[in-house]
Amino acid sequence: MSRTSPVGASAGTSEPPQALWNRNFLLFFTARAVAKLGDAMLPVALAAGLLGHGYGAGAIGYAMAAFSVCFAGFVVFGGVFADRLDTRALMVGSDLVRVGAQGMAAGLFFTGHVVLWQICVIGAVNGLAAGTFQPGVASTVPRIARDVQGANGAIRTAESLAMLGGPAVAGMLVALASAGGVFAAHAGTYAVSALCLLLLRLGRPRPGEAGAAGRDRPRASYRADLAEGWREFRARTWMWGVIVIWMVLMITVSGPLVPLTAGEIVPTHGAGVFGLVNSALGAGTTVGGLIAMRVRPARLLRAGALALLGFGLYPAAVGLGLPLPAVMGCTAVSGAAIAFWGVMWATSVQTQVPGPILNRLHAYEVAGSLAMMPVGQALAGPAAALFGARTVLVAGGVMVLVVSAALLSVRAVRELPRADGGPVGGDTATGSPAPGAPADAGAAPPGAYARGRSEDRSRVLGRKTE
């Protein structure tokens, strides 16, 4: 039995990723970390800026929903573009659009002429740009890193450290220069991200690898590519099963979380304290990312679903009115839980899905998982007015338990083996792939790529049959 290199260990890049911390990965790592630093500032800036101009928690929810609606609605098309065009060029262009949009937001807050619909329009533009950017992330990681789980863990850790420092920096900037200073800094982080992505040395990927779609097969129409991506998405029970369940989490927990926690904490304790709570979330996600780099479970999604149980502590703690130190502790545990789940999920998608359709399937799963986020954000204000903000937050904590149980109840999710050829257990040395690792445990065979491209598929999964 011979074996090929795992995902990402290809000659398709000009710098083969023998080690995790190669030049390409360092640049991509920096781009993601700096951009996340700016993203971590945004909730504090929106909360302080809109509340300071007389708006309530509902306005924060609407502003965030404008971004989420456009992001979730456009990311599927972004996946098709990423599979057909130069992925890096799309990502750089998206960053530059966001530099301009956040610069305009900074101008509005600096001048004091803040109108909610204008902030929502800017959020919508950012959502469209993010929808173009995000699909390329999935295919870039396997091209620059041999150890996909380790790469995802490192990136998640960096993003978590950014979340740790971002809210505190945002609180300081709000105090010194108003919310406009935060938006200006946010625009700068996207500029740094664009520069790092421009410096990547990515060669043409080989057929069957991430980013190779459209080069190793006849060019189809955009509509045909969308349809093909949808067929491949539906064929993987583990993927659409997670997304359907995740929609419930978006409506009941993730959507209302920022508007309602901001509405509870900022008026009583100030934007600085809300920044500290978000920093605790960042500290927790840092720990979760580090744990995910070391722990190598044979069933990634099962381990992630079990860890997800801790995510409900943050909304429950705020809803129950616990003392601030207890809220921060619960928030940290919540961050560790969601970070560990995120690494397990990203690694599963990037190693189970063949490269030529990876961008599209990643786009479908992102769109599906976030489709209900704007619904939850928009309903946050009305639900809080009807039931009380604290009641809604406590109910969200309970719903996390329901979602985790639902994930574990789906056999295709809990039994999906790892497929990256990486080690199993706590050891990070080279190991063998889990035996019998199919593309989907308990699901119908995927579409054309799973049936007709067995050799390419074996290369993606990190092994080749004789």
Side-chain angles (χ1 to χ4, degrees), residues 4-314:
T4 60
S5 299
V7 173
S10 72
T13 61
S14 57
E15 182 181 348
Q18 285 95 1
L20 177 61
W21 297 101
N22 59 75
R23 178 183 180 277
N24 275 340
F25 182 73
L26 280 170
L27 284 169
F28 189 73
F29 176 89
T30 302
R32 300 306 303 140
V34 173
K36 180 59 71 172
L37 178 67
D39 292 343
M41 298 179 186
L42 190 57
V44 177
L46 276 176
L50 291 177
L51 292 173
H53 283 81
Y55 295 101
I60 302 172
Y62 293 137
M64 299 183 72
F67 169 89
S68 299
V69 166
C70 291
F71 174 63
F74 190 75
V75 70
V76 171
F77 299 97
V80 175
F81 297 150
D83 270 340
R84 297 172 65 98
L85 306 174
D86 187 326
T87 302
R88 177 173 54 175
L90 289 174
M91 297 169 75
V92 171
S94 301
D95 274 340
L96 295 179
V97 168
R98 290 184 285 187
V99 170
Q102 295 304 81
M104 291 180 61
L108 292 176
F109 279 100
F110 275 134
T111 60
H113 298 293
V114 178
V115 181
L116 181 59
W117 72 263
Q118 295 174 338
I119 299 300
C120 289
V121 168
I122 291 173
V125 172
N126 282 326
L128 293 174
T132 305
F133 182 98
Q134 182 60 38
V137 174
S139 63
T140 301
V141 171
R143 291 180 66 190
I144 62 176
R146 176 190 297 271
D147 179 5
V148 178
Q149 182 180 333
N152 285 318
I155 291 170
R156 178 61 64 127
T157 300
E159 292 176 345
S160 302
L161 288 171
M163 288 180 62
L164 177 63
V169 173
M172 180 179 65
L173 287 175
V174 168
L176 295 177
S178 82
V182 183
F183 283 97
H186 195 191
T189 63
Y190 286 129
V192 173
S193 174
L195 177 61
C196 289
L197 294 173
L198 276 172
L199 295 175
L200 287 177
R201 294 173 181 169
L202 297 178
R204 289 171 62 89
R206 289 177 173 178
E209 293 173 346
R215 300 186 180 96
D216 60 334
R217 62 186 177 91
R219 178 63 60 90
S221 67
Y222 284 95
R223 183 175 180 179
D225 278 349
L226 279 173
E228 179 184 51
W230 177 245
R231 287 194 302 270
E232 295 288 339
F233 176 77
R234 288 190 309 163
R236 290 165 170 80
T237 304
W238 63 269
M239 181 175 283
W240 66 257
V242 168
I243 299 308
V244 170
I245 296 169
W246 207 253
M247 289 180 176
V248 177
L249 190 76
M250 293 295 102
I251 294 175
T252 59
V253 186
S254 298
L257 187 62
V258 172
L260 296 188
T261 54
E264 287 295 307
I265 295 174
V266 173
T268 304
H269 302 286
V273 171
F274 184 56
L276 290 176
V277 171
N278 278 273
S279 293
L281 185 69
T285 51
T286 300
V287 173
L290 291 172
I291 293 174
M293 291 181 69
R294 298 293 304 177
V295 177
R296 305 293 176 116
R299 302 288 188 269
L300 277 75
L301 297 184
R302 179 192 298 178
L306 289 171
L308 192 64
L309 290 166
F311 180 53
L313 291 177
Y314 177 23

